[in-house]
Amino acid sequence: QVQLVESGGGLVQAGGSLRLSCAASGRGLSNYAMAWFRQAPGKEREFVAAISWTGRTTYYGDSVKGRFTISRGNAENTVSLQLNSLKPEDTAVYYCAASGPLRVATPVEYSYWGQGTQVTVSS
């Protein structure tokens, strides 16, 4: 069983930055790609970014390329998402996910999910 816990969400003005973290625990983590998705009210859950377990390979959704950066954290079994140049349309609940394909993916392709953390960007 894999458990994922996100942190770091909050309220920020447009143009600002936030850093989200995901702490993972459980068996078999070294085999997993990990990803971030987001879901805005009334919209489907959307792929944001994915990273290999080694951290050497990353993928991004088109809407966040050049603004967001996914990385492996300094602590073991952590993944971070740096959100820069935030826009009001980035407002959503951000979810950490594990055990899915290392590419742009759909939510059903990932097996494990965190509870989500709210990011709100004011204009």
Side-chain angles (χ1 to χ4, degrees):
Q1 187 70 17
V2 173
Q3 293 183 330
L4 305 172
V5 179
E6 303 98 334
S7 60
L11 173 64
V12 64
Q13 289 188 333
S17 298
L18 281 174
R19 188 173 183 86
L20 308 183
S21 294
C22 174
S25 61
R27 302 178 66 177
L29 286 171
S30 62
N31 297 323
Y32 293 161
M34 295 186 69
W36 288 92
F37 288 77
R38 67 184 182 184
Q39 189 166 18
K43 294 188 177 181
E44 294 185 351
R45 195 166 294 190
E46 174 190 21
F47 174 85
V48 174
I51 190 167
S52 62
W53 181 249
T54 63
R56 296 190 187 114
T57 304
T58 58
Y59 290 87
Y60 294 93
D62 288 341
S63 61
V64 305
K65 282 181 182 176
R67 299 189 299 121
F68 292 7
T69 302
I70 189 171
S71 62
R72 290 286 176 177
N74 292 329
E76 189 175 355
N77 294 345
T78 61
V79 175
S80 297
L81 185 68
Q82 179 69 37
L83 292 67
N84 295 331
S85 302
L86 282 161
K87 306 174 182 180
E89 52 264 43
D90 294 318
T91 295
V93 177
Y94 283 71
Y95 296 91
C96 179
S99 185
L102 184 58
R103 52 171 169 77
V104 177
T106 59
V108 296
E109 296 179 284
Y110 273 77
S111 300
Y112 301 104
W113 293 87
Q115 81 288 351
T117 185
Q118 177 71 46
V119 171
T120 303
V121 184
S122 63
S123 57

